[in-house]
């Protein structure tokens, strides 16, 4: 099969899927085909720590670590987490410290190293495009994570779930080894203090700083208005956009308010569609996302002026993705017997963003499982900061134990219907934490559109690879190479 020259922009972006669904294996397979493979940087520190505690059976983590530029830091991570032969199944995974405003150096080192590992492995053996995905909503681990990914030579950083206007400038700064800082969002900040997290990359670099490439930055947005905001107000250059609609998997943008004074509606309408004419006018490359999993839809996007499309669900159910084979088989079976329901859940995510869920008998969104699960917050990626007093901040998550949340000044209503996505998503990729009454249950997210299964499979089960996906989606698609844009003054 012939693919476009690797270094014009890719037509397909295999979207970032956290936690660990779009892992290095998937991204590597996609990038090898000349398209863009994107690993998820979300909670990758916990993922790597657990892979090492399971004994790193395929040796991949240690292989990547052997290439980490600062061997002593790599060794410290190995010493803390690697268990030769794997931990005993009756033992819990060791906790890692939760991210906060002033993180301990061990936590920062784990972030740098784990992001390096994931990108290094995704880039191994080819020179195709590799990106890394983060969520703006999870701010605190981001700066050290970018450094780790950049040390491994990541080509793109893709970010959504919020409006990451500060990120392009931070990437510029890190590429120069400058001190960087990020304003963080803190609730109940009635006195309007500015809270910043600082990060000096040189503090972690024991040798002469190696040269770092500034990755291109793609903002994941749902509207042309936001695209304009990035062009005008971002702290550095935004190289392009992924325009994601509300049928996409994972978190979605909330529906557009019709009435500013009324609460946000829980239905989407054509008001939520981005204006592609306006996107074209902006003149930067963009990819469309959400239900584009046929060659006809890929062609349609290109004909609309997009550089291509970003896809999630079709790759999430491919052989290489991190979702356990049991969950993949369960969901695919549901699709074929007509019982699959993909629901936009406006409560599930502690972030407050709508989140797509599929409920199975074993997943945490099933009412019986949810009732049985004892609330606990021990990964803490979705904790929100709030002002305790003056400039002192606290951390709380609407899915933590209710009494704790309320003691921290949170409202009990805010806890209703919330699920622990951190523990749930770790379970979905086979890295569940062990509790007294068994393992943490998984949480399953996917996009609305599964019709690709009718064309990709025998109608009974799904066994297809990432390469099969690329071949299927590109079959018959006519695409002119899209040159790599260079930053221009605006
Ligand atoms: C399992 C799953 C997890 C996802 N996680 C993320 C994520 O962590 N960050 C993100 O920006 N998008 C996430 N997405 C969205 C995808 O990157 C992609 O944009 C979207 O799924 C495209 O729609 P489609 O599923 O219809 O192809 C996720 C999607 C899926 C299916």
């Amino acid at each position: 099969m012939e693919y476009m020259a690797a270094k014009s922009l890719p037509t397909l972006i295999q979207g970032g899927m956290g936690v660990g669904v779009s892992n290095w294996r998937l991204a590597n397979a996609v990038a090898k085909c000349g398209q863009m493979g994107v690993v998820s940087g979300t909670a990758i520190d916990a993922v790597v720590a657990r892979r090492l505690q399971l004994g790193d059976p395929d040796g991949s983590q240690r292989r990547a670590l052997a290439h980490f530029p600062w061997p002593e830091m790599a060794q410290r991570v190995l010493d803390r987490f690697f268990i030769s032969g794997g931990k005993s199944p009756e033992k819990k995974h060791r906790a890692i410290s939760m991210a906060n405003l002033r993180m301990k150096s061990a936590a920062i080192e784990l972030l740098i190293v784990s992001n390096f590992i994931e990108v290094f492995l995704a880039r191994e053996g080819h020179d195709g495009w590799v990106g890394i995905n983060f969520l703006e909503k999870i701010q605190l681990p981001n700066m050290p994570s970018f450094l780790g990914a950049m040390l491994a030579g990541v080509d793109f950083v893709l970010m959504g779930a919020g409006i990451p206007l500060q990120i392009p400038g931070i990437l510029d700064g890190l590429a120069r080894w400058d001190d960087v800082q990020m304003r963080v969002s803190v609730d109940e900040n009635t006195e309007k203090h500015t809270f910043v997290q600082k990060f000096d990359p040189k503090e972690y670099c024991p040798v002469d700083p190696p040269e770092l490439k500034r990755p291109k930055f793609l903002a994941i947005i749902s509207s042309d208005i936001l695209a304009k905001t990035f062009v005008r107000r971002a702290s550095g250059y935004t190289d392009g956009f992924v325009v994601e609609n509300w049928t996409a998997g994972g978190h979605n943008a909330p529906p557009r308010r019709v009435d500013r004074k009324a609460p946000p509606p829980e239905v989407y309408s054509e008001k939520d569609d981005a204006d592609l004419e306006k996107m074209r006018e902006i003149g930067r490359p963009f990819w469309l996302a959400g239900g584009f999993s046929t060659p006809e839809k890929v062609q349609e996007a290109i004909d609309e002026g997009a550089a291509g499309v970003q896809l999630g669900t079709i790759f999430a159910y491919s052989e290489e993705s991190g979702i356990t084979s049991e969950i993949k088989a369960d969901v695919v079976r549901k699709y074929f017997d007509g019982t699959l329901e993909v629901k936009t859940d406006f409560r599930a995510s502690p972030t407050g963003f709508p989140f797509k869920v599929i409920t199975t008998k074993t997943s945490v969104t099933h009412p019986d499982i949810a009732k049985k699960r004892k609330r606990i917050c021990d990964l803490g990626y979705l904790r929100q900061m709030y002002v305790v007093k003056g400039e002192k901040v606290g951390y709380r998550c609407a899915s933590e134990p209710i009494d704790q949340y309320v003691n921290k000044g949170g409202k009990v209503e805010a806890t209703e219907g919330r699920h622990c996505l951190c523990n749930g998503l770790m379970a979905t990729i086979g890295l569940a934490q062990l509790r007294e009454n068994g393992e943490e249950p998984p949480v399953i997210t996917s996009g609305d559109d599964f019709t690709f299964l009718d064309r990709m499979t025998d109608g009974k089960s799904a066994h297809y690879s990432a390469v099969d996906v690329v071949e299927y989606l590109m079959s018959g698609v006519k695409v002119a190479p899209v040159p790599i844009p260079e930053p221009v003054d605006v």
Side-chain angles (χ1 to χ4, degrees), residues 100-104 108 139-144 166 170 174 178-184 194-204:
N100 55 42
L101 211 45
R102 273 170 270 285
M103 273 188 274
K104 294 204 183 93
I108 292 182
Q139 292 188 296
L140 297 173
N142 282 342
M143 292 188 289
Q166 301 180 76
I170 290 173
L174 288 173
D178 288 350
D179 295 9
V180 284
Q181 62 175 42
M182 179 170 55
R183 276 184 318 284
V184 292
T194 303
F195 292 93
V196 294
Q197 188 191 38
K198 297 184 175 171
F199 178 60
D200 178 1
K202 292 184 292 307
E203 246 180 60
Y204 291 86

Side-chain angles (χ1 to χ4, degrees), residues 109-312:
E109 289 190 358
L110 179 59
L111 281 168
I112 298 172
V113 166
S114 54
N115 279 277
F116 173 89
I117 290 178
E118 202 66 356
V119 173
F120 174 88
L121 293 170
R123 294 191 67 228
E124 203 175 31
H126 61 84
D127 71 346
W129 294 116
V130 168
I132 191 163
N133 175 274
F134 296 99
L135 309 182
E136 161 71 7
K137 193 79 189 172
I138 304 181
Q139 292 188 296
L140 297 173
N142 282 342
M143 292 188 289
S145 299
F146 297 149
L147 177 64
M150 287 164 73
L151 283 169
V154 76
D155 300 302
F156 283 82
V157 167
L158 300 90
M159 245 170 119
I163 310 177
L165 290 169
Q166 301 180 76
I167 305 304
I170 290 173
L171 297 174
D172 292 339
L174 288 173
R176 295 187 302 259
W177 289 90
D178 288 350
D179 295 9
V180 284
Q181 62 175 42
M182 179 170 55
R183 276 184 318 284
V184 292
S185 121
V186 179
D187 284 352
E188 285 149 38
N189 184 10
T190 45
E191 291 174 25
K192 304 243 179 304
H193 292 295
T194 303
F195 292 93
V196 294
Q197 188 191 38
K198 297 184 175 171
F199 178 60
D200 178 1
K202 292 184 292 307
E203 246 180 60
Y204 291 86
C205 177
V207 289
D208 267 353
E211 208 165 290
L212 291 179
K213 171 177 79 184
R214 194 281 204 177
K216 299 208 173 284
F217 177 73
L218 302 185
I220 304 171
I221 50 165
S222 59
S223 82
D224 46 284
I225 301 165
L226 272 180
K228 274 238 167 76
T229 308
F230 273 90
V231 170
R232 290 195 185 131
R233 290 188 21 220
S235 58
Y237 193 74
T238 301
D239 298 273
F241 300 96
V242 173
V243 186
E244 198 184 61
N245 66 34
W246 51 271
T247 70
H251 284 98
N252 302 134
R256 284 271 290 281
R257 269 174 211 262
V258 197
D259 174 357
R260 284 221 147 262
K261 288 191 195 114
E266 291 199 350
V267 280
Y268 290 96
S269 67
E270 67 277 9
K271 278 193 189 326
D272 296 294
D273 296 337
D275 182 337
L276 296 185
E277 178 60 42
K278 299 239 167 78
M279 286 306 302
R280 288 189 289 271
E281 277 167 17
I282 288 172
R284 297 191 193 176
F286 63 94
W287 289 258
L288 302 181
F292 282 86
S293 293
T294 65
E296 296 78 17
K297 293 286 287 179
V298 177
Q299 189 66 62
E300 201 180 296
I302 292 167
D303 295 346
E304 286 279 9
V309 300
Q310 170 170 288
L311 310 122

Side-chain angles (χ1 to χ4, degrees), residues 50 362 364 369 373-378 420 422-424 426-428 431-435 437-443:
R50 291 188 185 182
T362 56
V364 75
I369 308 279
R373 180 180 181 272
K374 209 167 146 209
R375 282 180 173 235
I376 180 168
C377 181
D378 58 354
C420 177
C422 297
N423 274 292
M426 292 294 280
T428 306
L431 295 177
Q433 180 60 291
L434 192 62
R435 307 288 182 206
N437 54 354
E439 285 191 342
E440 281 281 358
V443 62

Side-chain angles (χ1 to χ4, degrees), residues 358-385:
I358 291 175
T359 297
T360 68
K361 275 197 217 113
T362 56
S363 68
V364 75
T365 45
H366 191 287
D368 296 346
I369 308 279
K371 214 186 285 165
K372 258 195 263 164
R373 180 180 181 272
K374 209 167 146 209
R375 282 180 173 235
I376 180 168
C377 181
D378 58 354
L379 288 166
Y381 294 97
L382 297 178
R383 293 184 312 165
Q384 171 62 37
M385 278 181 277

